[in-house]
Amino acid sequence: EGFSGAKIDSLLTASECTHHDPLFNWQLSPRHPEGDFCYVGSFDGLNAMPILGNGMMQTMATGKSYMRTFINTEIRGQVGAQSAQWAISTSEDKGGFGELPPAPEDILIMHGAMEQFADLDRQTLEVVNGGQTVKKVFTARGFPYNTVIPPTATSEAAYTIVKKHSDLHINVKNSLKNPDGTYTVVTEPNEPFCPASPLDPVPEG
């Protein structure tokens, strides 16, 4: 959790906003000022690494080095305007670092816990850049349900990109031949976020 002897919560607070790469504005919450990335608390799971500001990996192209701190929020989401909101890309070739933004139909809105990053100036300890760490999500759904993945399988074959909320919830039960279809669909805006969303059809069986 340490950075130059100071804890990240001493250098950064929830609701604080900072510079954000416009290429990734599709990930921003509509509640926040346009074009700014605003941090969401609580802060947990803190890790840090040095990173060069060369314009890659969502850094500022300054030629300086920064301390990139990763922050996990551990917030239970709700489908509602008051809930923390972010987005991932469901396209395999758009939305990632060094890629063009995804089309609107390839953006999946997420609620709740998120992994944020903050780039800190190593001399002043000022937070000068930030954003969402996660651009896409892959889950182990490349092989039939409850079958052993061959040891020779590549990660490309074993993991498939998440395209809908229920892809995030495999619900493994070794007594079933198919994934558990007992998803709870959220219909009220203030209900806790569940494995399926109002836009995600309830699986049968």
Side-chain angles (χ1 to χ4, degrees), residues 3-4 18-19 48-70 117-130:
F3 169 67
S4 297
T18 190
H19 170 270
M49 60 175 280
I51 193 167
L52 178 63
N54 59 2
M56 300 176 65
M57 305 301 290
Q58 207 171 334
T59 60
M60 297 189 299
T62 62
K64 296 175 58 177
S65 63
Y66 299 91
M67 183 59 71
R68 174 160 289 188
T69 302
F70 300 97
F117 73 84
D119 290 346
L120 285 82
D121 186 296
R122 295 167 72 93
Q123 280 73 48
T124 66
L125 305 187
E126 178 187 4
V127 178
V128 295
N129 181 48

Side-chain angles (χ1 to χ4, degrees), residues 3 7 25 27 36 42 50 57 63 73 81 83 85 89 119 121 136 155 157 173 178 191 196:
F3 169 67
K7 287 176 64 65
N25 279 357
Q27 287 195 291
D36 286 349
S42 58
M57 305 301 290
T73 62
S83 180
Q85 178 179 312
S89 171
D119 290 346
D121 186 296
K136 307 176 187 184
S155 58
K173 293 183 179 180
N178 297 299
E191 287 297 312

Side-chain angles (χ1 to χ4, degrees), residues 123-158:
Q123 280 73 48
T124 66
L125 305 187
E126 178 187 4
V127 178
V128 295
N129 181 48
Q132 295 289 350
T133 306
V134 178
K135 309 302 180 187
K136 307 176 187 184
V137 176
F138 291 80
T139 56
R141 300 174 70 95
F143 286 85
Y145 180 74
N146 266 352
T147 60
V148 177
I149 297 177
T152 56
T154 63
S155 58
E156 184 179 9

